[in-house]
Amino acid sequence: LTMSNSRAANASVKTVQLDHYNLTAILEFRQDLCPSGGFAIVLGSSLQAMFDESTHDENHHLWSVLDLLLDSSNPNAVALLAHTVNSLQAPAGGTTFRRIRTISGNHFGMSTRYGESSDFDISVFRRRQQQHD
């Protein structure tokens, strides 16, 4: 679907299938594409299996993956994660990442197949800044 949409939009997109539990493969992927550090933006969707209702734990695997992928030297690097409403909990207080915004699918004029309010959100996360957050 990603490749079809990118062709239709005449955009150049590279996709790679990774096992998100294989941190070595994720690190190699990042080093291959971003040898200077990491990505400024990480997009994620359909990650419900990864969330497993425990993302509030600062040691949850999701935060380890984002820690590897996001550029640690860029204070504006963000992860945008699309998910069903209330399925992604932000990590507790003093952890590495914090949610800076939640955008409802309603903002995009979306609704459920039954015409009700959208049942998905986009959460925007970034690294917690030592002196400001």
Side-chain angles (χ1 to χ4, degrees):
L1 184 58
T2 299
M3 297 308 292
S4 293
N5 287 337
S6 65
R7 279 191 293 277
N10 199 27
S12 176
V13 174
K14 180 178 181 178
T15 62
V16 177
Q17 186 173 358
L18 289 172
D19 175 359
H20 61 81
Y21 285 110
N22 185 340
L23 294 179
T24 301
I26 291 172
L27 180 58
E28 290 170 356
F29 164 77
R30 190 208 69 206
Q31 289 172 333
D32 187 40
L33 293 178
C34 289
S36 63
F39 299 97
I41 300 173
V42 170
L43 305 174
S45 65
S46 301
L47 302 172
Q48 288 85 343
M50 191 175 190
F51 295 163
D52 69 19
E53 299 181 9
S54 60
T55 54
H56 64 279
D57 180 353
E58 66 185 75
N59 297 310
H60 190 277
H61 187 70
L62 172 64
W63 312 122
S64 298
V65 170
L66 290 180
D67 194 41
L68 284 175
L69 291 175
L70 284 173
D71 185 350
S72 61
S73 65
N74 180 350
N76 297 312
V78 293
L80 293 93
L81 306 176
H83 55 89
T84 55
V85 172
N86 297 322
S87 67
L88 176 58
Q89 299 173 23
T95 60
T96 304
F97 292 96
R98 74 178 187 104
R99 185 183 341 233
I100 59 172
R101 187 163 183 203
T102 300
I103 305 163
S104 169
N106 293 329
H107 180 76
F108 304 103
M110 301 187 80
S111 63
T112 67
R113 67 184 87 166
Y114 307 110
E116 299 167 351
S117 291
S118 175
D119 59 356
F120 89 92
D121 287 335
I122 296 173
S123 290
V124 182
F125 287 92
R126 76 170 185 206
R127 292 181 189 279
R128 187 173 294 279
Q129 305 300 310
Q130 297 299 327
Q131 57 275 53
H132 297 76
D133 295 346

mmCIF file of all heavy atoms in Angstrom, residues 27-65:
data_model
loop_
_atom_site.group_PDB
_atom_site.id
_atom_site.type_symbol
_atom_site.label_atom_id
_atom_site.label_comp_id
_atom_site.label_asym_id
_atom_site.label_seq_id
_atom_site.Cartn_x
_atom_site.Cartn_y
_atom_site.Cartn_z
ATOM 1 N N LEU A 27 19.223 -1.117 14.560
ATOM 2 C CA LEU A 27 20.415 -0.268 14.617
ATOM 3 C C LEU A 27 21.159 -0.295 13.281
ATOM 4 O O LEU A 27 21.583 0.748 12.780
ATOM 5 C CB LEU A 27 21.333 -0.710 15.751
ATOM 6 C CG LEU A 27 22.618 0.095 15.932
ATOM 7 C CD1 LEU A 27 22.313 1.569 16.174
ATOM 8 C CD2 LEU A 27 23.443 -0.486 17.063
ATOM 9 N N GLU A 28 21.306 -1.472 12.685
ATOM 10 C CA GLU A 28 21.969 -1.582 11.379
ATOM 11 C C GLU A 28 21.200 -0.812 10.310
ATOM 12 O O GLU A 28 21.795 -0.140 9.460
ATOM 13 C CB GLU A 28 22.125 -3.047 10.982
ATOM 14 C CG GLU A 28 23.150 -3.779 11.826
ATOM 15 C CD GLU A 28 23.153 -5.287 11.600
ATOM 16 O OE1 GLU A 28 22.304 -5.790 10.827
ATOM 17 O OE2 GLU A 28 23.997 -5.964 12.214
ATOM 18 N N PHE A 29 19.871 -0.896 10.344
ATOM 19 C CA PHE A 29 19.015 -0.154 9.416
ATOM 20 C C PHE A 29 19.273 1.344 9.554
ATOM 21 O O PHE A 29 19.475 2.052 8.578
ATOM 22 C CB PHE A 29 17.552 -0.505 9.702
ATOM 23 C CG PHE A 29 16.545 0.430 9.107
ATOM 24 C CD1 PHE A 29 16.244 0.371 7.757
ATOM 25 C CD2 PHE A 29 15.893 1.361 9.899
ATOM 26 C CE1 PHE A 29 15.298 1.233 7.202
ATOM 27 C CE2 PHE A 29 14.952 2.216 9.351
ATOM 28 C CZ PHE A 29 14.657 2.149 8.006
ATOM 29 N N ARG A 30 19.257 1.830 10.794
ATOM 30 C CA ARG A 30 19.482 3.258 11.026
ATOM 31 C C ARG A 30 20.875 3.683 10.580
ATOM 32 O O ARG A 30 21.053 4.710 9.937
ATOM 33 C CB ARG A 30 19.292 3.598 12.499
ATOM 34 C CG ARG A 30 19.286 5.120 12.715
ATOM 35 C CD ARG A 30 19.744 5.579 14.050
ATOM 36 N NE ARG A 30 21.161 5.347 14.209
ATOM 37 C CZ ARG A 30 21.735 5.176 15.385
ATOM 38 N NH1 ARG A 30 21.023 5.192 16.482
ATOM 39 N NH2 ARG A 30 23.027 4.980 15.467
ATOM 40 N N GLN A 31 21.884 2.889 10.904
ATOM 41 C CA GLN A 31 23.259 3.230 10.526
ATOM 42 C C GLN A 31 23.440 3.225 9.013
ATOM 43 O O GLN A 31 24.203 4.026 8.476
ATOM 44 C CB GLN A 31 24.241 2.269 11.188
ATOM 45 C CG GLN A 31 24.345 2.486 12.680
ATOM 46 C CD GLN A 31 25.174 1.416 13.389
ATOM 47 O OE1 GLN A 31 25.266 0.283 12.924
ATOM 48 N NE2 GLN A 31 25.742 1.781 14.511
ATOM 49 N N ASP A 32 22.714 2.347 8.340
ATOM 50 C CA ASP A 32 22.799 2.272 6.884
ATOM 51 C C ASP A 32 22.190 3.512 6.221
ATOM 52 O O ASP A 32 22.743 4.062 5.279
ATOM 53 C CB ASP A 32 22.100 1.005 6.394
ATOM 54 C CG ASP A 32 22.275 0.763 4.911
ATOM 55 O OD1 ASP A 32 23.382 1.001 4.393
ATOM 56 O OD2 ASP A 32 21.298 0.330 4.268
ATOM 57 N N LEU A 33 21.039 3.954 6.725
ATOM 58 C CA LEU A 33 20.340 5.081 6.113
ATOM 59 C C LEU A 33 20.713 6.438 6.711
ATOM 60 O O LEU A 33 20.598 7.459 6.042
ATOM 61 C CB LEU A 33 18.826 4.886 6.208
ATOM 62 C CG LEU A 33 18.273 3.734 5.382
ATOM 63 C CD1 LEU A 33 16.776 3.594 5.595
ATOM 64 C CD2 LEU A 33 18.567 3.938 3.905
ATOM 65 N N CYS A 34 21.107 6.453 7.960
ATOM 66 C CA CYS A 34 21.451 7.713 8.651
ATOM 67 C C CYS A 34 22.746 7.529 9.431
ATOM 68 O O CYS A 34 22.734 7.498 10.669
ATOM 69 C CB CYS A 34 20.354 8.119 9.602
ATOM 70 S SG CYS A 34 18.868 8.683 8.825
ATOM 71 N N PRO A 35 23.868 7.406 8.759
ATOM 72 C CA PRO A 35 25.124 7.144 9.466
ATOM 73 C C PRO A 35 25.515 8.244 10.448
ATOM 74 O O PRO A 35 26.276 8.000 11.383
ATOM 75 C CB PRO A 35 26.154 7.015 8.347
ATOM 76 C CG PRO A 35 25.509 7.483 7.103
ATOM 77 C CD PRO A 35 24.034 7.487 7.325
ATOM 78 N N SER A 36 24.958 9.442 10.293
ATOM 79 C CA SER A 36 25.325 10.542 11.181
ATOM 80 C C SER A 36 24.549 10.553 12.493
ATOM 81 O O SER A 36 24.834 11.362 13.355
ATOM 82 C CB SER A 36 25.135 11.877 10.470
ATOM 83 O OG SER A 36 23.777 12.061 10.151
ATOM 84 N N GLY A 37 23.556 9.705 12.657
ATOM 85 C CA GLY A 37 22.863 9.714 13.943
ATOM 86 C C GLY A 37 21.516 9.058 13.984
ATOM 87 O O GLY A 37 21.322 8.069 14.650
ATOM 88 N N GLY A 38 20.562 9.574 13.298
ATOM 89 C CA GLY A 38 19.221 9.019 13.359
ATOM 90 C C GLY A 38 18.274 9.848 12.520
ATOM 91 O O GLY A 38 18.670 10.783 11.835
ATOM 92 N N PHE A 39 17.001 9.510 12.609
ATOM 93 C CA PHE A 39 15.975 10.162 11.800
ATOM 94 C C PHE A 39 15.384 11.354 12.539
ATOM 95 O O PHE A 39 15.220 11.326 13.753
ATOM 96 C CB PHE A 39 14.859 9.173 11.463
ATOM 97 C CG PHE A 39 15.331 8.000 10.664
ATOM 98 C CD1 PHE A 39 15.641 6.805 11.276
ATOM 99 C CD2 PHE A 39 15.471 8.101 9.282
ATOM 100 C CE1 PHE A 39 16.079 5.713 10.537
ATOM 101 C CE2 PHE A 39 15.906 7.013 8.531
ATOM 102 C CZ PHE A 39 16.222 5.821 9.170
ATOM 103 N N ALA A 40 15.018 12.385 11.787
ATOM 104 C CA ALA A 40 14.346 13.547 12.371
ATOM 105 C C ALA A 40 12.872 13.233 12.618
ATOM 106 O O ALA A 40 12.261 13.768 13.541
ATOM 107 C CB ALA A 40 14.476 14.761 11.460
ATOM 108 N N ILE A 41 12.306 12.347 11.795
ATOM 109 C CA ILE A 41 10.892 11.976 11.922
ATOM 110 C C ILE A 41 10.762 10.466 11.764
ATOM 111 O O ILE A 41 11.328 9.879 10.845
ATOM 112 C CB ILE A 41 10.022 12.662 10.848
ATOM 113 C CG1 ILE A 41 10.109 14.179 10.980
ATOM 114 C CG2 ILE A 41 8.567 12.203 10.947
ATOM 115 C CD1 ILE A 41 9.414 14.927 9.864
ATOM 116 N N VAL A 42 10.016 9.851 12.664
ATOM 117 C CA VAL A 42 9.668 8.439 12.566
ATOM 118 C C VAL A 42 8.152 8.359 12.533
ATOM 119 O O VAL A 42 7.466 8.951 13.373
ATOM 120 C CB VAL A 42 10.219 7.630 13.763
ATOM 121 C CG1 VAL A 42 9.662 6.221 13.780
ATOM 122 C CG2 VAL A 42 11.737 7.612 13.740
ATOM 123 N N LEU A 43 7.615 7.663 11.529
ATOM 124 C CA LEU A 43 6.174 7.462 11.400
ATOM 125 C C LEU A 43 5.848 6.020 11.733
ATOM 126 O O LEU A 43 6.556 5.107 11.309
ATOM 127 C CB LEU A 43 5.710 7.758 9.968
ATOM 128 C CG LEU A 43 6.047 9.126 9.395
ATOM 129 C CD1 LEU A 43 5.650 9.189 7.927
ATOM 130 C CD2 LEU A 43 5.351 10.207 10.184
ATOM 131 N N GLY A 44 4.782 5.815 12.470
ATOM 132 C CA GLY A 44 4.385 4.450 12.807
ATOM 133 C C GLY A 44 2.880 4.314 12.830
ATOM 134 O O GLY A 44 2.163 5.201 13.286
ATOM 135 N N SER A 45 2.398 3.194 12.317
ATOM 136 C CA SER A 45 0.969 2.888 12.385
ATOM 137 C C SER A 45 0.808 1.377 12.459
ATOM 138 O O SER A 45 1.739 0.636 12.188
ATOM 139 C CB SER A 45 0.224 3.453 11.172
ATOM 140 O OG SER A 45 0.659 2.807 10.003
ATOM 141 N N SER A 46 -0.378 0.962 12.849
ATOM 142 C CA SER A 46 -0.676 -0.469 12.993
ATOM 143 C C SER A 46 0.318 -1.147 13.926
ATOM 144 O O SER A 46 0.822 -2.228 13.659
ATOM 145 C CB SER A 46 -0.683 -1.160 11.622
ATOM 146 O OG SER A 46 -1.641 -0.574 10.791
ATOM 147 N N LEU A 47 0.578 -0.501 15.038
ATOM 148 C CA LEU A 47 1.567 -1.008 16.009
ATOM 149 C C LEU A 47 0.906 -1.595 17.259
ATOM 150 O O LEU A 47 1.565 -1.763 18.272
ATOM 151 C CB LEU A 47 2.505 0.142 16.431
ATOM 152 C CG LEU A 47 3.266 0.830 15.302
ATOM 153 C CD1 LEU A 47 3.991 2.060 15.833
ATOM 154 C CD2 LEU A 47 4.255 -0.126 14.669
ATOM 155 N N GLN A 48 -0.376 -1.913 17.183
ATOM 156 C CA GLN A 48 -1.095 -2.380 18.359
ATOM 157 C C GLN A 48 -0.397 -3.539 19.058
ATOM 158 O O GLN A 48 -0.336 -3.591 20.281
ATOM 159 C CB GLN A 48 -2.532 -2.791 18.013
ATOM 160 C CG GLN A 48 -3.435 -1.625 17.708
ATOM 161 C CD GLN A 48 -3.343 -1.190 16.257
ATOM 162 O OE1 GLN A 48 -2.403 -1.520 15.530
ATOM 163 N NE2 GLN A 48 -4.319 -0.432 15.808
ATOM 164 N N ALA A 49 0.147 -4.468 18.295
ATOM 165 C CA ALA A 49 0.821 -5.615 18.909
ATOM 166 C C ALA A 49 2.037 -5.171 19.715
ATOM 167 O O ALA A 49 2.416 -5.803 20.692
ATOM 168 C CB ALA A 49 1.237 -6.615 17.835
ATOM 169 N N MET A 50 2.624 -4.068 19.310
ATOM 170 C CA MET A 50 3.793 -3.559 20.029
ATOM 171 C C MET A 50 3.393 -2.813 21.301
ATOM 172 O O MET A 50 4.144 -2.766 22.256
ATOM 173 C CB MET A 50 4.592 -2.643 19.110
ATOM 174 C CG MET A 50 5.945 -2.269 19.637
ATOM 175 S SD MET A 50 6.818 -1.313 18.387
ATOM 176 C CE MET A 50 8.432 -1.280 19.116
ATOM 177 N N PHE A 51 2.204 -2.228 21.329
ATOM 178 C CA PHE A 51 1.799 -1.436 22.483
ATOM 179 C C PHE A 51 1.455 -2.305 23.691
ATOM 180 O O PHE A 51 1.839 -2.004 24.800
ATOM 181 C CB PHE A 51 0.598 -0.551 22.142
ATOM 182 C CG PHE A 51 0.869 0.502 21.108
ATOM 183 C CD1 PHE A 51 -0.173 1.126 20.468
ATOM 184 C CD2 PHE A 51 2.156 0.869 20.767
ATOM 185 C CE1 PHE A 51 0.048 2.104 19.512
ATOM 186 C CE2 PHE A 51 2.400 1.834 19.807
ATOM 187 C CZ PHE A 51 1.343 2.454 19.184
ATOM 188 N N ASP A 52 0.712 -3.344 23.489
ATOM 189 C CA ASP A 52 0.298 -4.326 24.498
ATOM 190 C C ASP A 52 -0.065 -3.741 25.865
ATOM 191 O O ASP A 52 0.199 -4.328 26.900
ATOM 192 C CB ASP A 52 1.324 -5.453 24.645
ATOM 193 C CG ASP A 52 2.647 -5.028 25.274
ATOM 194 O OD1 ASP A 52 2.722 -3.979 25.936
ATOM 195 O OD2 ASP A 52 3.624 -5.771 25.098
ATOM 196 N N GLU A 53 -0.679 -2.575 25.864
ATOM 197 C CA GLU A 53 -1.222 -1.957 27.075
ATOM 198 C C GLU A 53 -0.200 -1.674 28.167
ATOM 199 O O GLU A 53 -0.562 -1.497 29.319
ATOM 200 C CB GLU A 53 -2.366 -2.803 27.640
ATOM 201 C CG GLU A 53 -3.520 -2.951 26.666
ATOM 202 C CD GLU A 53 -4.659 -3.767 27.224
ATOM 203 O OE1 GLU A 53 -4.651 -4.085 28.426
ATOM 204 O OE2 GLU A 53 -5.566 -4.072 26.445
ATOM 205 N N SER A 54 1.089 -1.607 27.847
ATOM 206 C CA SER A 54 2.077 -1.332 28.893
ATOM 207 C C SER A 54 3.088 -0.266 28.489
ATOM 208 O O SER A 54 4.185 -0.218 29.017
ATOM 209 C CB SER A 54 2.788 -2.626 29.294
ATOM 210 O OG SER A 54 3.463 -3.187 28.183
ATOM 211 N N THR A 55 2.705 0.597 27.553
ATOM 212 C CA THR A 55 3.637 1.624 27.102
ATOM 213 C C THR A 55 3.886 2.690 28.164
ATOM 214 O O THR A 55 4.801 3.491 28.028
ATOM 215 C CB THR A 55 3.151 2.301 25.806
ATOM 216 O OG1 THR A 55 1.819 2.780 26.016
ATOM 217 C CG2 THR A 55 3.192 1.325 24.644
ATOM 218 N N HIS A 56 3.086 2.708 29.233
ATOM 219 C CA HIS A 56 3.335 3.638 30.333
ATOM 220 C C HIS A 56 4.640 3.302 31.057
ATOM 221 O O HIS A 56 5.220 4.146 31.725
ATOM 222 C CB HIS A 56 2.168 3.618 31.324
ATOM 223 C CG HIS A 56 2.010 2.292 31.989
ATOM 224 N ND1 HIS A 56 1.359 1.243 31.370
ATOM 225 C CD2 HIS A 56 2.452 1.828 33.180
ATOM 226 C CE1 HIS A 56 1.390 0.187 32.177
ATOM 227 N NE2 HIS A 56 2.042 0.514 33.270
ATOM 228 N N ASP A 57 5.129 2.079 30.877
ATOM 229 C CA ASP A 57 6.388 1.637 31.488
ATOM 230 C C ASP A 57 7.555 2.215 30.688
ATOM 231 O O ASP A 57 7.671 1.974 29.488
ATOM 232 C CB ASP A 57 6.443 0.109 31.492
ATOM 233 C CG ASP A 57 7.719 -0.452 32.096
ATOM 234 O OD1 ASP A 57 8.655 0.316 32.418
ATOM 235 O OD2 ASP A 57 7.780 -1.680 32.247
ATOM 236 N N GLU A 58 8.416 2.976 31.334
ATOM 237 C CA GLU A 58 9.542 3.608 30.637
ATOM 238 C C GLU A 58 10.491 2.596 30.017
ATOM 239 O O GLU A 58 11.277 2.940 29.136
ATOM 240 C CB GLU A 58 10.305 4.531 31.579
ATOM 241 C CG GLU A 58 10.997 3.793 32.722
ATOM 242 C CD GLU A 58 11.640 4.731 33.710
ATOM 243 O OE1 GLU A 58 10.900 5.342 34.493
ATOM 244 O OE2 GLU A 58 12.870 4.853 33.694
ATOM 245 N N ASN A 59 10.439 1.335 30.441
ATOM 246 C CA ASN A 59 11.296 0.286 29.881
ATOM 247 C C ASN A 59 10.614 -0.505 28.766
ATOM 248 O O ASN A 59 11.165 -1.500 28.304
ATOM 249 C CB ASN A 59 11.749 -0.672 30.988
ATOM 250 C CG ASN A 59 12.588 0.045 32.015
ATOM 251 O OD1 ASN A 59 13.537 0.742 31.683
ATOM 252 N ND2 ASN A 59 12.213 -0.089 33.282
ATOM 253 N N HIS A 60 9.432 -0.072 28.349
ATOM 254 C CA HIS A 60 8.710 -0.751 27.280
ATOM 255 C C HIS A 60 9.549 -0.733 26.003
ATOM 256 O O HIS A 60 10.263 0.225 25.714
ATOM 257 C CB HIS A 60 7.355 -0.091 27.038
ATOM 258 C CG HIS A 60 6.470 -0.861 26.130
ATOM 259 N ND1 HIS A 60 6.565 -0.790 24.760
ATOM 260 C CD2 HIS A 60 5.481 -1.741 26.378
ATOM 261 C CE1 HIS A 60 5.665 -1.582 24.211
ATOM 262 N NE2 HIS A 60 4.992 -2.170 25.175
ATOM 263 N N HIS A 61 9.439 -1.782 25.232
ATOM 264 C CA HIS A 61 10.237 -1.953 24.018
ATOM 265 C C HIS A 61 10.048 -0.808 23.016
ATOM 266 O O HIS A 61 10.989 -0.425 22.318
ATOM 267 C CB HIS A 61 9.892 -3.302 23.376
ATOM 268 C CG HIS A 61 10.761 -3.661 22.235
ATOM 269 N ND1 HIS A 61 12.080 -4.010 22.390
ATOM 270 C CD2 HIS A 61 10.507 -3.694 20.912
ATOM 271 C CE1 HIS A 61 12.609 -4.249 21.212
ATOM 272 N NE2 HIS A 61 11.676 -4.071 20.293
ATOM 273 N N LEU A 62 8.858 -0.239 22.928
ATOM 274 C CA LEU A 62 8.598 0.864 22.004
ATOM 275 C C LEU A 62 9.589 2.004 22.213
ATOM 276 O O LEU A 62 10.128 2.559 21.264
ATOM 277 C CB LEU A 62 7.169 1.387 22.182
ATOM 278 C CG LEU A 62 6.813 2.657 21.415
ATOM 279 C CD1 LEU A 62 6.875 2.424 19.911
ATOM 280 C CD2 LEU A 62 5.435 3.146 21.823
ATOM 281 N N TRP A 63 9.857 2.346 23.464
ATOM 282 C CA TRP A 63 10.755 3.471 23.762
ATOM 283 C C TRP A 63 12.198 3.118 23.407
ATOM 284 O O TRP A 63 12.956 3.994 22.984
ATOM 285 C CB TRP A 63 10.595 3.904 25.207
ATOM 286 C CG TRP A 63 9.144 4.071 25.573
ATOM 287 C CD1 TRP A 63 8.472 3.426 26.563
ATOM 288 C CD2 TRP A 63 8.181 4.891 24.901
ATOM 289 N NE1 TRP A 63 7.148 3.808 26.561
ATOM 290 C CE2 TRP A 63 6.939 4.701 25.548
ATOM 291 C CE3 TRP A 63 8.231 5.768 23.815
ATOM 292 C CZ2 TRP A 63 5.773 5.357 25.152
ATOM 293 C CZ3 TRP A 63 7.074 6.417 23.420
ATOM 294 C CH2 TRP A 63 5.871 6.210 24.085
ATOM 295 N N SER A 64 12.576 1.859 23.516
ATOM 296 C CA SER A 64 13.918 1.431 23.096
ATOM 297 C C SER A 64 14.079 1.566 21.587
ATOM 298 O O SER A 64 15.115 2.014 21.096
ATOM 299 C CB SER A 64 14.179 -0.026 23.498
ATOM 300 O OG SER A 64 14.126 -0.181 24.886
ATOM 301 N N VAL A 65 13.042 1.185 20.846
ATOM 302 C CA VAL A 65 13.080 1.288 19.388
ATOM 303 C C VAL A 65 13.175 2.761 18.967
ATOM 304 O O VAL A 65 14.009 3.125 18.134
ATOM 305 C CB VAL A 65 11.850 0.603 18.752
ATOM 306 C CG1 VAL A 65 11.754 0.908 17.261
ATOM 307 C CG2 VAL A 65 11.903 -0.899 18.995
#
